[in-house]
Amino acid sequence: MASVDPKDIQKLLDDIATLENSIKTAGELGRAKLQDIKLDDVRRAILNGDVKLDADKWTKRAEQDQWRLRDRLSMVRDSLHGAAGLDGPQDTKHIMYDEYASSPSIVIWALLGMIMTAALLVQIVSNWKKATGTDLALKIQAAAAQIQKLEDTAKKETDAKAN
């Protein structure tokens, strides 16, 4: 088992601080939920009285202790996320991070996608003969027939001159 990168822990601590500030300014219900979460206990266990995470002290901890504290920190962040009333995935790289799309916007985008698909299909159907070269094949057949007529006429002319 590899040790936990101090940068990951610092990112979790920063996320927690941001969520904590947003909960404190959001309203009384959020502040009441915040009091029920043992945030300071987890911070104390990780920071050991420091203001910021000391990477050297963190790396000197046992790996099992690092993972246990990281898991506790993740659980606290998830609890704060729920207390903040944020909806949506918690992965910052997710397209709907923190809040899901509304139903009307999903319906509008779906309809727009269907309309664009239908327009594309109309364009494909209207340009099918040009794209597949079916007109060209007919023109080649007509040209081949004309060449054959020309060759027949040239043969008749040479026969007539020979006679």
Side-chain angles (χ1 to χ4, degrees):
M1 179 185 283
S3 62
V4 180
D5 189 8
K7 292 177 186 175
D8 294 339
I9 299 301
Q10 187 59 53
K11 183 178 179 332
L12 283 170
L13 287 169
D14 294 341
D15 290 347
I16 286 173
T18 303
L19 286 168
E20 182 182 20
N21 289 335
S22 67
I23 291 171
K24 284 179 180 177
T25 59
E28 189 59 37
L29 181 63
R31 286 191 290 271
K33 289 179 182 178
L34 182 62
Q35 290 175 353
D36 294 337
I37 299 171
K38 308 260 187 213
L39 176 60
D40 292 330
D41 293 345
V42 177
R43 274 194 188 135
R44 230 177 283 117
I46 290 175
L47 298 176
N48 290 328
D50 295 335
V51 177
K52 280 242 178 225
L53 179 69
D54 187 358
D56 292 333
K57 287 182 183 177
W58 178 258
T59 54
K60 289 178 183 175
R61 289 179 187 246
E63 287 182 20
Q64 186 176 8
D65 190 35
Q66 288 180 4
W67 283 102
R68 183 182 55 79
L69 288 171
R70 185 192 97 31
D71 291 342
R72 281 184 65 195
L73 201 57
S74 293
M75 286 186 276
V76 166
R77 184 202 54 202
D78 294 344
S79 298
L80 287 173
H81 197 269
L86 300 174
D87 194 15
Q90 297 176 14
D91 181 14
T92 55
K93 295 177 184 162
H94 196 280
I95 193 168
M96 290 189 215
Y97 172 65
D98 272 346
E99 190 173 330
Y100 287 113
S102 65
S103 295
S105 66
I106 291 172
V107 170
I108 288 170
W109 281 110
L111 287 174
L112 183 64
M114 287 181 211
I115 290 168
M116 290 176 69
T117 302
L120 182 61
L121 286 173
V122 167
Q123 287 295 317
I124 289 171
V125 168
S126 65
N127 292 315
W128 185 259
K129 287 184 180 178
K130 191 187 312 180
T132 58
T134 53
D135 286 344
L136 182 62
L138 292 175
K139 289 178 183 176
I140 290 173
Q141 287 176 351
Q146 292 298 325
I147 291 172
Q148 186 62 40
K149 283 183 184 177
L150 181 63
E151 289 175 356
D152 290 344
T153 306
K155 185 177 180 192
K156 287 180 184 176
E157 182 184 353
T158 46
D159 288 346
K161 284 182 182 178
N163 286 335

